[in-house]
Amino acid sequence: MMTRDGMYVDGQWRRTAGASRCTVVDPHTEEPWGEVSCAEAAEVDVAVSAAERALRGPWARMSLDERIAIVLRIRDLLEARKAEFALLHTRSMGALHKTGHFLGGVPELITMSVAAARSIAFEYLRRDASGNTLITRQPVGVVAAIVPWNAPLRSEIKKVIPALLCGCTVVVK
């Protein structure tokens, strides 16, 4: 049985303080195949604090090109581990293995998000009858991304990647 103790926060795996565990069940076979730690309120606070530090720190100050390079690296890492993700996808959702094998179009979603981010004018000069106004689009804060059980990786990508490209940080449930 696969087990994962803790949660990934601030660039590292951390053990959760509580004893609460969640069993991962294959909906096709109804057999348990994994167990993960469940975050409690204090751990959520730690995750949000870490995301706020990253937002005030380097992440929001990076250029779009720097953020794009990191996001494309994420895409490449997902692609390199697609067999592992296919198995996790299949077992957690009861999906056909072939749908999980291709990551459900996840690499393409990332590529499309990058293209969309490149088309956004994060800073521009607006001219009108009253004069010139410099418009700047800046990160707004920490994004809370709540992901459903069905197509979790695809749902995460749809929420996380655009937020990261815009300079926000993210906490995923």
Side-chain angles (χ1 to χ4, degrees):
M1 183 177 295
M2 185 275 310
T3 61
R4 171 56 70 189
D5 290 321
M7 51 188 224
Y8 195 74
V9 176
D10 208 11
Q12 62 185 325
W13 283 100
R14 297 172 183 250
R15 196 176 252 329
T16 53
S20 181
R21 310 282 295 166
C22 299
T23 301
V24 183
V25 176
D26 182 328
H28 177 69
T29 64
E30 296 183 357
E31 294 178 13
W33 66 272
E35 189 175 83
V36 295
S37 300
C38 297
E40 296 183 6
E43 282 126 7
V44 174
D45 291 343
V46 168
V48 171
S49 293
E52 287 173 340
R53 278 194 310 281
L55 184 68
R56 288 190 309 272
W59 188 256
R61 291 193 303 263
M62 283 183 190
S63 70
L64 176 61
D65 287 336
E66 290 172 308
R67 291 193 299 265
I68 285 173
I70 291 168
V71 163
L72 291 176
R73 177 80 175 123
I74 292 168
R75 181 198 62 195
D76 295 344
L77 289 169
L78 286 169
E79 188 70 41
R81 295 174 63 187
K82 69 181 171 185
E84 179 183 350
F85 282 105
L87 178 61
L88 291 172
H89 185 263
T90 300
R91 294 197 76 192
S92 65
M93 289 183 38
L96 295 174
H97 184 73
K98 72 178 190 175
T99 62
H101 183 70
F102 297 105
L103 296 178
V106 165
E108 294 78 10
L109 277 173
I110 294 173
T111 301
M112 289 178 356
S113 293
V114 166
R118 284 186 170 134
S119 72
I120 296 170
F122 284 93
E123 185 173 294
Y124 62 97
L125 192 62
R126 183 177 68 200
R127 299 170 197 254
D128 59 27
S130 61
N132 298 330
T133 304
L134 179 63
I135 305 295
T136 58
R137 294 183 172 140
Q138 300 177 345
V140 295
V142 176
V143 173
I146 299 172
V147 182
W149 71 271
N150 60 332
L153 183 59
R154 191 172 169 83
S155 297
E156 285 175 6
I157 292 301
K158 286 179 177 180
K159 294 171 186 247
V160 171
I161 297 300
L164 292 177
L165 287 168
C166 289
C168 295
T169 54
V170 184
V171 174
V172 179
K173 178 217 175 268

